Amino acid sequence: MNLAQFYPWQVDTAKAWLTQRERFAHAWLIHGPEGVGKLNFSLAAAASLLCTDAREGIACGKCQSCHWFSLGNHMDFRLVLPDALSDKLGLSTEDSSKDKTTETKLSNEIRIEQVRQLEDFMGLTTHQGGLRVVVLGPAEALNTASANAILKVLEEPNQNTVFLLYTHAPQKLLPTIISRCRRLPLTIPERAVAQAWLQAQGVNQAELWLAAAAGAPLRALESSDSPLEPLAYWLQAFVEELVQRRMPDLDSYVARLEKVANAQWIDSLQRLCIDLNLLHYSLPLRFFPSLEALLQGLATQVNPVKLAELQEYLKGQQRLANHPLNAKLFIQSTLQRVVLSCLAKK
């Protein structure tokens, strides 16, 4: 891996945090909204903690330790991610020796075998006589067995070991894991900073992408480069049909949305409902400014009671997003409920 560097909106937080080594905890829970760069922050922090010539707490990028880290073979560092995520990101993990030729579907969970391998790592003497660092996440990917195993490790910490656990959803973690960690929140960056960064990445209309991503820069960047970006892929056409009070061809939308993770398209519908609710009460919309004219027309038609009921319904569907349900029926029933709620008479 290349030596991770903090994003512009992370630098001040990192300096303030990393320069307090005398009060540094053995385990940290780094949490915040998805798309603000928690994994990148954790990797950059690990490099900084291992650096032998850190400046204001941040890795120098030039010492031998930084060189080892950038090559992905630092003896005092371990990265624990779900197999599917490490494969997607092309990152070397503690399980990089695993046979990649297997046709078995890569797991989205952190397996107990991955945590057990940390026990051997913890028993080694540190290579440079300094810290050893473990980055693990997203922590909500721990299953019951691996969560209990990491809890045991956190309860009996080895000297000079720092755990950096990152999570999108602290509420999904065992309370006992949370209690063993100090918390470090990473928040949505200031809009001007995020927008400038997106523009530097070559993103056109950065403000629109940032709005659709609720201010999360990495999510905005990913959407801007994705053929499955919701507005162009399906949502704008769907809204246009609702404005015309026409029943959409649900089979067509089901076929499209089967290619998108349930949590993502449900999230788009939830944001759509929020914007409709804001416009209904003459407030500025938040997520889809490019749809304002269409949504303004739809907001005047929507029954506010039905809209409130729809928002609660979508919360329930979001909780079911990762369950092994019949995908087509799940998408069709959800879209049908949205259509009926939006076309209901006041």
Side-chain angles (χ1 to χ4, degrees), residues 223-267:
S223 294
S224 72
D225 196 38
S226 171
L228 303 181
E229 184 277 319
L231 282 180
Y233 185 61
W234 73 280
L235 191 60
Q236 180 165 338
F238 187 73
V239 172
E240 287 173 351
E241 297 197 74
L242 293 180
V243 171
Q244 296 173 29
R245 303 195 65 78
R246 198 167 62 203
M247 173 61 75
D249 177 6
L250 295 186
D251 289 341
S252 169
Y253 289 100
V254 169
R256 293 185 225 179
L257 294 181
E258 278 189 293
K259 301 176 184 178
V260 182
N262 286 337
Q264 292 181 18
W265 60 261
I266 295 172
D267 181 68

mmCIF file of all heavy atoms in Angstrom, residues 223-267:
data_model
loop_
_atom_site.group_PDB
_atom_site.id
_atom_site.type_symbol
_atom_site.label_atom_id
_atom_site.label_comp_id
_atom_site.label_asym_id
_atom_site.label_seq_id
_atom_site.Cartn_x
_atom_site.Cartn_y
_atom_site.Cartn_z
ATOM 1 N N SER A 223 -19.744 8.517 -6.236
ATOM 2 C CA SER A 223 -20.979 8.661 -7.016
ATOM 3 C C SER A 223 -20.717 9.345 -8.346
ATOM 4 O O SER A 223 -21.287 8.979 -9.370
ATOM 5 C CB SER A 223 -22.013 9.463 -6.223
ATOM 6 O OG SER A 223 -22.429 8.763 -5.070
ATOM 7 N N SER A 224 -19.852 10.363 -8.330
ATOM 8 C CA SER A 224 -19.598 11.129 -9.552
ATOM 9 C C SER A 224 -18.969 10.282 -10.645
ATOM 10 O O SER A 224 -19.051 10.618 -11.826
ATOM 11 C CB SER A 224 -18.683 12.323 -9.244
ATOM 12 O OG SER A 224 -17.352 11.891 -8.986
ATOM 13 N N ASP A 225 -18.353 9.166 -10.257
ATOM 14 C CA ASP A 225 -17.644 8.324 -11.222
ATOM 15 C C ASP A 225 -18.331 6.979 -11.413
ATOM 16 O O ASP A 225 -17.756 6.072 -12.007
ATOM 17 C CB ASP A 225 -16.205 8.110 -10.744
ATOM 18 C CG ASP A 225 -15.300 7.583 -11.843
ATOM 19 O OD1 ASP A 225 -15.468 8.014 -13.000
ATOM 20 O OD2 ASP A 225 -14.445 6.728 -11.542
ATOM 21 N N SER A 226 -19.567 6.858 -10.913
ATOM 22 C CA SER A 226 -20.246 5.562 -10.949
ATOM 23 C C SER A 226 -21.354 5.532 -11.995
ATOM 24 O O SER A 226 -22.174 6.450 -12.067
ATOM 25 C CB SER A 226 -20.845 5.248 -9.573
ATOM 26 O OG SER A 226 -21.679 4.104 -9.637
ATOM 27 N N PRO A 227 -21.424 4.458 -12.799
ATOM 28 C CA PRO A 227 -22.545 4.320 -13.742
ATOM 29 C C PRO A 227 -23.856 4.051 -13.028
ATOM 30 O O PRO A 227 -24.932 4.156 -13.634
ATOM 31 C CB PRO A 227 -22.120 3.118 -14.602
ATOM 32 C CG PRO A 227 -21.198 2.332 -13.726
ATOM 33 C CD PRO A 227 -20.468 3.343 -12.906
ATOM 34 N N LEU A 228 -23.784 3.719 -11.740
ATOM 35 C CA LEU A 228 -24.983 3.437 -10.952
ATOM 36 C C LEU A 228 -25.369 4.618 -10.068
ATOM 37 O O LEU A 228 -26.154 4.460 -9.128
ATOM 38 C CB LEU A 228 -24.762 2.184 -10.080
ATOM 39 C CG LEU A 228 -24.367 0.902 -10.820
ATOM 40 C CD1 LEU A 228 -24.213 -0.245 -9.847
ATOM 41 C CD2 LEU A 228 -25.383 0.551 -11.897
ATOM 42 N N GLU A 229 -24.818 5.782 -10.357
ATOM 43 C CA GLU A 229 -25.179 6.987 -9.595
ATOM 44 C C GLU A 229 -26.700 7.155 -9.655
ATOM 45 O O GLU A 229 -27.284 7.129 -10.739
ATOM 46 C CB GLU A 229 -24.451 8.188 -10.192
ATOM 47 C CG GLU A 229 -24.648 9.486 -9.434
ATOM 48 C CD GLU A 229 -25.944 10.176 -9.820
ATOM 49 O OE1 GLU A 229 -26.271 10.195 -11.009
ATOM 50 O OE2 GLU A 229 -26.630 10.683 -8.904
ATOM 51 N N PRO A 230 -27.372 7.309 -8.516
ATOM 52 C CA PRO A 230 -28.830 7.192 -8.479
ATOM 53 C C PRO A 230 -29.609 8.140 -9.376
ATOM 54 O O PRO A 230 -30.568 7.731 -10.026
ATOM 55 C CB PRO A 230 -29.182 7.409 -6.997
ATOM 56 C CG PRO A 230 -27.966 8.025 -6.386
ATOM 57 C CD PRO A 230 -26.809 7.528 -7.170
ATOM 58 N N LEU A 231 -29.217 9.417 -9.438
ATOM 59 C CA LEU A 231 -30.001 10.367 -10.232
ATOM 60 C C LEU A 231 -30.071 9.960 -11.698
ATOM 61 O O LEU A 231 -31.155 9.814 -12.271
ATOM 62 C CB LEU A 231 -29.424 11.775 -10.107
ATOM 63 C CG LEU A 231 -29.749 12.535 -8.825
ATOM 64 C CD1 LEU A 231 -29.094 13.904 -8.862
ATOM 65 C CD2 LEU A 231 -31.242 12.674 -8.642
ATOM 66 N N ALA A 232 -28.912 9.761 -12.304
ATOM 67 C CA ALA A 232 -28.884 9.435 -13.729
ATOM 68 C C ALA A 232 -29.354 8.015 -13.994
ATOM 69 O O ALA A 232 -29.964 7.737 -15.031
ATOM 70 C CB ALA A 232 -27.476 9.631 -14.281
ATOM 71 N N TYR A 233 -29.075 7.111 -13.058
ATOM 72 C CA TYR A 233 -29.343 5.698 -13.290
ATOM 73 C C TYR A 233 -30.833 5.358 -13.186
ATOM 74 O O TYR A 233 -31.332 4.536 -13.933
ATOM 75 C CB TYR A 233 -28.533 4.859 -12.303
ATOM 76 C CG TYR A 233 -28.626 3.371 -12.527
ATOM 77 C CD1 TYR A 233 -28.207 2.805 -13.730
ATOM 78 C CD2 TYR A 233 -29.113 2.529 -11.537
ATOM 79 C CE1 TYR A 233 -28.271 1.437 -13.935
ATOM 80 C CE2 TYR A 233 -29.184 1.162 -11.734
ATOM 81 C CZ TYR A 233 -28.761 0.619 -12.935
ATOM 82 O OH TYR A 233 -28.838 -0.740 -13.139
ATOM 83 N N TRP A 234 -31.525 6.009 -12.224
ATOM 84 C CA TRP A 234 -32.935 5.639 -12.085
ATOM 85 C C TRP A 234 -33.818 6.678 -11.393
ATOM 86 O O TRP A 234 -34.988 6.828 -11.719
ATOM 87 C CB TRP A 234 -33.054 4.317 -11.304
ATOM 88 C CG TRP A 234 -32.753 4.459 -9.823
ATOM 89 C CD1 TRP A 234 -31.535 4.517 -9.233
ATOM 90 C CD2 TRP A 234 -33.710 4.542 -8.757
ATOM 91 N NE1 TRP A 234 -31.643 4.638 -7.871
ATOM 92 C CE2 TRP A 234 -32.974 4.647 -7.545
ATOM 93 C CE3 TRP A 234 -35.092 4.534 -8.702
ATOM 94 C CZ2 TRP A 234 -33.594 4.749 -6.310
ATOM 95 C CZ3 TRP A 234 -35.722 4.628 -7.459
ATOM 96 C CH2 TRP A 234 -34.968 4.733 -6.276
ATOM 97 N N LEU A 235 -33.277 7.442 -10.463
ATOM 98 C CA LEU A 235 -34.136 8.234 -9.592
ATOM 99 C C LEU A 235 -34.821 9.395 -10.302
ATOM 100 O O LEU A 235 -36.013 9.662 -10.070
ATOM 101 C CB LEU A 235 -33.314 8.753 -8.401
ATOM 102 C CG LEU A 235 -34.129 9.370 -7.257
ATOM 103 C CD1 LEU A 235 -35.104 8.358 -6.676
ATOM 104 C CD2 LEU A 235 -33.197 9.880 -6.159
ATOM 105 N N GLN A 236 -34.111 10.089 -11.177
ATOM 106 C CA GLN A 236 -34.735 11.222 -11.866
ATOM 107 C C GLN A 236 -35.905 10.759 -12.736
ATOM 108 O O GLN A 236 -36.981 11.374 -12.723
ATOM 109 C CB GLN A 236 -33.710 11.976 -12.719
ATOM 110 C CG GLN A 236 -34.325 13.167 -13.455
ATOM 111 C CD GLN A 236 -33.292 14.134 -14.002
ATOM 112 O OE1 GLN A 236 -32.163 14.178 -13.531
ATOM 113 N NE2 GLN A 236 -33.686 14.925 -14.989
ATOM 114 N N ALA A 237 -35.714 9.675 -13.484
ATOM 115 C CA ALA A 237 -36.795 9.158 -14.327
ATOM 116 C C ALA A 237 -37.972 8.704 -13.478
ATOM 117 O O ALA A 237 -39.146 8.922 -13.837
ATOM 118 C CB ALA A 237 -36.283 7.992 -15.173
ATOM 119 N N PHE A 238 -37.685 8.129 -12.332
ATOM 120 C CA PHE A 238 -38.732 7.663 -11.412
ATOM 121 C C PHE A 238 -39.548 8.847 -10.896
ATOM 122 O O PHE A 238 -40.790 8.814 -10.879
ATOM 123 C CB PHE A 238 -38.063 6.918 -10.250
ATOM 124 C CG PHE A 238 -39.016 6.233 -9.313
ATOM 125 C CD1 PHE A 238 -39.691 5.079 -9.691
ATOM 126 C CD2 PHE A 238 -39.219 6.728 -8.028
ATOM 127 C CE1 PHE A 238 -40.552 4.442 -8.821
ATOM 128 C CE2 PHE A 238 -40.075 6.095 -7.148
ATOM 129 C CZ PHE A 238 -40.745 4.943 -7.545
ATOM 130 N N VAL A 239 -38.857 9.917 -10.502
ATOM 131 C CA VAL A 239 -39.545 11.106 -9.998
ATOM 132 C C VAL A 239 -40.373 11.759 -11.107
ATOM 133 O O VAL A 239 -41.504 12.224 -10.866
ATOM 134 C CB VAL A 239 -38.526 12.107 -9.406
ATOM 135 C CG1 VAL A 239 -39.201 13.434 -9.066
ATOM 136 C CG2 VAL A 239 -37.869 11.520 -8.166
ATOM 137 N N GLU A 240 -39.826 11.807 -12.307
ATOM 138 C CA GLU A 240 -40.569 12.406 -13.427
ATOM 139 C C GLU A 240 -41.910 11.711 -13.637
ATOM 140 O O GLU A 240 -42.934 12.358 -13.898
ATOM 141 C CB GLU A 240 -39.724 12.333 -14.702
ATOM 142 C CG GLU A 240 -38.559 13.324 -14.713
ATOM 143 C CD GLU A 240 -37.646 13.122 -15.908
ATOM 144 O OE1 GLU A 240 -37.814 12.108 -16.628
ATOM 145 O OE2 GLU A 240 -36.748 13.970 -16.114
ATOM 146 N N GLU A 241 -41.928 10.391 -13.504
ATOM 147 C CA GLU A 241 -43.178 9.659 -13.672
ATOM 148 C C GLU A 241 -44.144 9.948 -12.524
ATOM 149 O O GLU A 241 -45.360 10.042 -12.731
ATOM 150 C CB GLU A 241 -42.893 8.171 -13.790
ATOM 151 C CG GLU A 241 -42.053 7.833 -15.034
ATOM 152 C CD GLU A 241 -42.107 6.371 -15.399
ATOM 153 O OE1 GLU A 241 -43.147 5.942 -15.928
ATOM 154 O OE2 GLU A 241 -41.117 5.670 -15.148
ATOM 155 N N LEU A 242 -43.620 10.092 -11.329
ATOM 156 C CA LEU A 242 -44.487 10.406 -10.192
ATOM 157 C C LEU A 242 -45.107 11.795 -10.352
ATOM 158 O O LEU A 242 -46.279 11.994 -10.015
ATOM 159 C CB LEU A 242 -43.683 10.329 -8.889
ATOM 160 C CG LEU A 242 -43.171 8.947 -8.477
ATOM 161 C CD1 LEU A 242 -42.387 9.044 -7.172
ATOM 162 C CD2 LEU A 242 -44.309 7.950 -8.334
ATOM 163 N N VAL A 243 -44.311 12.757 -10.826
ATOM 164 C CA VAL A 243 -44.826 14.116 -11.023
ATOM 165 C C VAL A 243 -45.985 14.101 -12.023
ATOM 166 O O VAL A 243 -46.967 14.836 -11.879
ATOM 167 C CB VAL A 243 -43.696 15.059 -11.508
ATOM 168 C CG1 VAL A 243 -44.266 16.406 -11.932
ATOM 169 C CG2 VAL A 243 -42.662 15.247 -10.406
ATOM 170 N N GLN A 244 -45.890 13.234 -13.015
ATOM 171 C CA GLN A 244 -46.953 13.122 -14.013
ATOM 172 C C GLN A 244 -48.100 12.223 -13.531
ATOM 173 O O GLN A 244 -49.023 11.936 -14.292
ATOM 174 C CB GLN A 244 -46.372 12.574 -15.319
ATOM 175 C CG GLN A 244 -45.348 13.498 -15.960
ATOM 176 C CD GLN A 244 -44.663 12.869 -17.161
ATOM 177 O OE1 GLN A 244 -45.241 12.030 -17.848
ATOM 178 N NE2 GLN A 244 -43.428 13.271 -17.417
ATOM 179 N N ARG A 245 -48.003 11.804 -12.261
ATOM 180 C CA ARG A 245 -49.018 10.952 -11.636
ATOM 181 C C ARG A 245 -49.264 9.705 -12.488
ATOM 182 O O ARG A 245 -50.402 9.311 -12.771
ATOM 183 C CB ARG A 245 -50.311 11.716 -11.383
ATOM 184 C CG ARG A 245 -50.118 12.961 -10.505
ATOM 185 C CD ARG A 245 -51.428 13.508 -9.973
ATOM 186 N NE ARG A 245 -52.089 12.586 -9.066
ATOM 187 C CZ ARG A 245 -51.757 12.395 -7.786
ATOM 188 N NH1 ARG A 245 -50.722 13.062 -7.258
ATOM 189 N NH2 ARG A 245 -52.421 11.547 -7.039
ATOM 190 N N ARG A 246 -48.137 9.081 -12.854
ATOM 191 C CA ARG A 246 -48.194 7.914 -13.708
ATOM 192 C C ARG A 246 -47.556 6.739 -12.976
ATOM 193 O O ARG A 246 -46.536 6.894 -12.305
ATOM 194 C CB ARG A 246 -47.424 8.212 -14.994
ATOM 195 C CG ARG A 246 -47.723 7.299 -16.160
ATOM 196 C CD ARG A 246 -47.138 7.893 -17.434
ATOM 197 N NE ARG A 246 -45.674 8.014 -17.372
ATOM 198 C CZ ARG A 246 -44.975 8.855 -18.109
ATOM 199 N NH1 ARG A 246 -45.572 9.701 -18.927
ATOM 200 N NH2 ARG A 246 -43.658 8.898 -18.010
ATOM 201 N N MET A 247 -48.161 5.571 -13.092
ATOM 202 C CA MET A 247 -47.581 4.384 -12.470
ATOM 203 C C MET A 247 -46.354 3.939 -13.270
ATOM 204 O O MET A 247 -46.468 3.584 -14.442
ATOM 205 C CB MET A 247 -48.604 3.245 -12.432
ATOM 206 C CG MET A 247 -48.035 1.913 -11.950
ATOM 207 S SD MET A 247 -47.359 1.942 -10.239
ATOM 208 C CE MET A 247 -48.903 1.960 -9.299
ATOM 209 N N PRO A 248 -45.168 3.983 -12.670
ATOM 210 C CA PRO A 248 -43.954 3.577 -13.396
ATOM 211 C C PRO A 248 -43.978 2.087 -13.738
ATOM 212 O O PRO A 248 -44.680 1.296 -13.110
ATOM 213 C CB PRO A 248 -42.830 3.894 -12.394
ATOM 214 C CG PRO A 248 -43.431 4.835 -11.404
ATOM 215 C CD PRO A 248 -44.867 4.473 -11.313
ATOM 216 N N ASP A 249 -43.200 1.725 -14.727
ATOM 217 C CA ASP A 249 -43.012 0.323 -15.070
ATOM 218 C C ASP A 249 -42.050 -0.277 -14.038
ATOM 219 O O ASP A 249 -40.827 -0.183 -14.177
ATOM 220 C CB ASP A 249 -42.424 0.206 -16.481
ATOM 221 C CG ASP A 249 -42.130 -1.238 -16.873
ATOM 222 O OD1 ASP A 249 -42.484 -2.147 -16.095
ATOM 223 O OD2 ASP A 249 -41.537 -1.450 -17.938
ATOM 224 N N LEU A 250 -42.606 -0.855 -12.983
ATOM 225 C CA LEU A 250 -41.780 -1.302 -11.865
ATOM 226 C C LEU A 250 -40.793 -2.393 -12.264
ATOM 227 O O LEU A 250 -39.696 -2.471 -11.708
ATOM 228 C CB LEU A 250 -42.673 -1.783 -10.716
ATOM 229 C CG LEU A 250 -43.544 -0.710 -10.056
ATOM 230 C CD1 LEU A 250 -44.272 -1.282 -8.843
ATOM 231 C CD2 LEU A 250 -42.709 0.494 -9.634
ATOM 232 N N ASP A 251 -41.163 -3.241 -13.215
ATOM 233 C CA ASP A 251 -40.243 -4.297 -13.637
ATOM 234 C C ASP A 251 -38.931 -3.705 -14.168
ATOM 235 O O ASP A 251 -37.846 -4.241 -13.932
ATOM 236 C CB ASP A 251 -40.884 -5.164 -14.718
ATOM 237 C CG ASP A 251 -41.994 -6.049 -14.167
ATOM 238 O OD1 ASP A 251 -42.019 -6.259 -12.941
ATOM 239 O OD2 ASP A 251 -42.839 -6.517 -14.947
ATOM 240 N N SER A 252 -39.050 -2.584 -14.884
ATOM 241 C CA SER A 252 -37.862 -1.923 -15.423
ATOM 242 C C SER A 252 -36.957 -1.430 -14.295
ATOM 243 O O SER A 252 -35.730 -1.596 -14.344
ATOM 244 C CB SER A 252 -38.280 -0.749 -16.311
ATOM 245 O OG SER A 252 -37.160 0.057 -16.646
ATOM 246 N N TYR A 253 -37.557 -0.842 -13.264
ATOM 247 C CA TYR A 253 -36.765 -0.320 -12.145
ATOM 248 C C TYR A 253 -36.192 -1.452 -11.296
ATOM 249 O O TYR A 253 -35.076 -1.346 -10.774
ATOM 250 C CB TYR A 253 -37.599 0.635 -11.299
ATOM 251 C CG TYR A 253 -37.860 1.943 -12.017
ATOM 252 C CD1 TYR A 253 -39.082 2.179 -12.647
ATOM 253 C CD2 TYR A 253 -36.878 2.914 -12.104
ATOM 254 C CE1 TYR A 253 -39.322 3.364 -13.331
ATOM 255 C CE2 TYR A 253 -37.096 4.106 -12.783
ATOM 256 C CZ TYR A 253 -38.319 4.320 -13.402
ATOM 257 O OH TYR A 253 -38.528 5.492 -14.089
ATOM 258 N N VAL A 254 -36.952 -2.540 -11.156
ATOM 259 C CA VAL A 254 -36.445 -3.697 -10.416
ATOM 260 C C VAL A 254 -35.179 -4.231 -11.088
ATOM 261 O O VAL A 254 -34.181 -4.533 -10.426
ATOM 262 C CB VAL A 254 -37.515 -4.800 -10.324
ATOM 263 C CG1 VAL A 254 -36.897 -6.107 -9.797
ATOM 264 C CG2 VAL A 254 -38.654 -4.360 -9.406
ATOM 265 N N ALA A 255 -35.220 -4.329 -12.414
ATOM 266 C CA ALA A 255 -34.053 -4.832 -13.153
ATOM 267 C C ALA A 255 -32.831 -3.949 -12.929
ATOM 268 O O ALA A 255 -31.707 -4.436 -12.815
ATOM 269 C CB ALA A 255 -34.391 -4.908 -14.639
ATOM 270 N N ARG A 256 -33.049 -2.645 -12.850
ATOM 271 C CA ARG A 256 -31.917 -1.734 -12.622
ATOM 272 C C ARG A 256 -31.397 -1.843 -11.182
ATOM 273 O O ARG A 256 -30.186 -1.906 -10.947
ATOM 274 C CB ARG A 256 -32.339 -0.288 -12.902
ATOM 275 C CG ARG A 256 -32.665 0.010 -14.355
ATOM 276 C CD ARG A 256 -32.961 1.480 -14.556
ATOM 277 N NE ARG A 256 -34.139 1.686 -15.387
ATOM 278 C CZ ARG A 256 -34.632 2.861 -15.700
ATOM 279 N NH1 ARG A 256 -34.043 3.955 -15.257
ATOM 280 N NH2 ARG A 256 -35.707 2.967 -16.460
ATOM 281 N N LEU A 257 -32.325 -1.859 -10.241
ATOM 282 C CA LEU A 257 -31.925 -1.796 -8.837
ATOM 283 C C LEU A 257 -31.366 -3.114 -8.311
ATOM 284 O O LEU A 257 -30.727 -3.124 -7.255
ATOM 285 C CB LEU A 257 -33.106 -1.337 -7.978
ATOM 286 C CG LEU A 257 -33.549 0.104 -8.240
ATOM 287 C CD1 LEU A 257 -34.711 0.486 -7.322
ATOM 288 C CD2 LEU A 257 -32.402 1.078 -8.056
ATOM 289 N N GLU A 258 -31.573 -4.205 -9.035
ATOM 290 C CA GLU A 258 -30.944 -5.463 -8.635
ATOM 291 C C GLU A 258 -29.419 -5.350 -8.675
ATOM 292 O O GLU A 258 -28.716 -6.117 -8.022
ATOM 293 C CB GLU A 258 -31.388 -6.599 -9.566
ATOM 294 C CG GLU A 258 -32.730 -7.201 -9.207
ATOM 295 C CD GLU A 258 -33.012 -8.453 -10.026
ATOM 296 O OE1 GLU A 258 -33.188 -8.328 -11.251
ATOM 297 O OE2 GLU A 258 -33.047 -9.545 -9.426
ATOM 298 N N LYS A 259 -28.897 -4.402 -9.440
ATOM 299 C CA LYS A 259 -27.448 -4.207 -9.558
ATOM 300 C C LYS A 259 -26.900 -3.304 -8.463
ATOM 301 O O LYS A 259 -25.694 -3.080 -8.392
ATOM 302 C CB LYS A 259 -27.120 -3.604 -10.928
ATOM 303 C CG LYS A 259 -27.571 -4.458 -12.101
ATOM 304 C CD LYS A 259 -27.308 -3.755 -13.420
ATOM 305 C CE LYS A 259 -27.834 -4.553 -14.602
ATOM 306 N NZ LYS A 259 -27.632 -3.846 -15.889
ATOM 307 N N VAL A 260 -27.788 -2.749 -7.635
ATOM 308 C CA VAL A 260 -27.392 -1.797 -6.593
ATOM 309 C C VAL A 260 -27.656 -2.430 -5.229
ATOM 310 O O VAL A 260 -28.654 -3.129 -5.039
ATOM 311 C CB VAL A 260 -28.194 -0.484 -6.726
ATOM 312 C CG1 VAL A 260 -27.757 0.535 -5.685
ATOM 313 C CG2 VAL A 260 -28.059 0.087 -8.135
ATOM 314 N N ALA A 261 -26.764 -2.194 -4.281
ATOM 315 C CA ALA A 261 -26.972 -2.702 -2.921
ATOM 316 C C ALA A 261 -28.274 -2.137 -2.355
ATOM 317 O O ALA A 261 -28.578 -0.952 -2.538
ATOM 318 C CB ALA A 261 -25.800 -2.315 -2.022
ATOM 319 N N ASN A 262 -29.033 -2.988 -1.674
ATOM 320 C CA ASN A 262 -30.323 -2.554 -1.121
ATOM 321 C C ASN A 262 -30.193 -1.289 -0.280
ATOM 322 O O ASN A 262 -31.006 -0.367 -0.380
ATOM 323 C CB ASN A 262 -30.941 -3.670 -0.273
ATOM 324 C CG ASN A 262 -31.496 -4.802 -1.106
ATOM 325 O OD1 ASN A 262 -31.826 -4.622 -2.279
ATOM 326 N ND2 ASN A 262 -31.599 -5.979 -0.523
ATOM 327 N N ALA A 263 -29.169 -1.266 0.559
ATOM 328 C CA ALA A 263 -29.009 -0.116 1.460
ATOM 329 C C ALA A 263 -28.844 1.183 0.685
ATOM 330 O O ALA A 263 -29.299 2.242 1.137
ATOM 331 C CB ALA A 263 -27.813 -0.336 2.380
ATOM 332 N N GLN A 264 -28.242 1.120 -0.512
ATOM 333 C CA GLN A 264 -27.977 2.339 -1.274
ATOM 334 C C GLN A 264 -29.235 2.907 -1.915
ATOM 335 O O GLN A 264 -29.509 4.102 -1.815
ATOM 336 C CB GLN A 264 -26.917 2.061 -2.342
ATOM 337 C CG GLN A 264 -25.538 1.778 -1.767
ATOM 338 C CD GLN A 264 -24.496 1.537 -2.840
ATOM 339 O OE1 GLN A 264 -24.691 1.890 -3.998
ATOM 340 N NE2 GLN A 264 -23.391 0.914 -2.471
ATOM 341 N N TRP A 265 -30.032 2.042 -2.590
ATOM 342 C CA TRP A 265 -31.216 2.611 -3.245
ATOM 343 C C TRP A 265 -32.299 2.983 -2.232
ATOM 344 O O TRP A 265 -33.059 3.935 -2.448
ATOM 345 C CB TRP A 265 -31.755 1.695 -4.350
ATOM 346 C CG TRP A 265 -32.208 0.314 -3.964
ATOM 347 C CD1 TRP A 265 -31.514 -0.847 -4.094
ATOM 348 C CD2 TRP A 265 -33.484 -0.046 -3.411
ATOM 349 N NE1 TRP A 265 -32.259 -1.914 -3.657
ATOM 350 C CE2 TRP A 265 -33.476 -1.453 -3.244
ATOM 351 C CE3 TRP A 265 -34.626 0.669 -3.065
ATOM 352 C CZ2 TRP A 265 -34.560 -2.156 -2.724
ATOM 353 C CZ3 TRP A 265 -35.712 -0.022 -2.545
ATOM 354 C CH2 TRP A 265 -35.678 -1.417 -2.381
ATOM 355 N N ILE A 266 -32.341 2.267 -1.112
ATOM 356 C CA ILE A 266 -33.288 2.667 -0.054
ATOM 357 C C ILE A 266 -32.861 4.012 0.529
ATOM 358 O O ILE A 266 -33.694 4.883 0.802
ATOM 359 C CB ILE A 266 -33.368 1.597 1.052
ATOM 360 C CG1 ILE A 266 -33.952 0.295 0.492
ATOM 361 C CG2 ILE A 266 -34.237 2.095 2.208
ATOM 362 C CD1 ILE A 266 -33.887 -0.874 1.462
ATOM 363 N N ASP A 267 -31.562 4.187 0.708
ATOM 364 C CA ASP A 267 -31.044 5.463 1.197
ATOM 365 C C ASP A 267 -31.432 6.603 0.258
ATOM 366 O O ASP A 267 -31.808 7.694 0.711
ATOM 367 C CB ASP A 267 -29.529 5.383 1.336
ATOM 368 C CG ASP A 267 -28.915 6.669 1.852
ATOM 369 O OD1 ASP A 267 -29.149 7.019 3.018
ATOM 370 O OD2 ASP A 267 -28.211 7.340 1.077
#
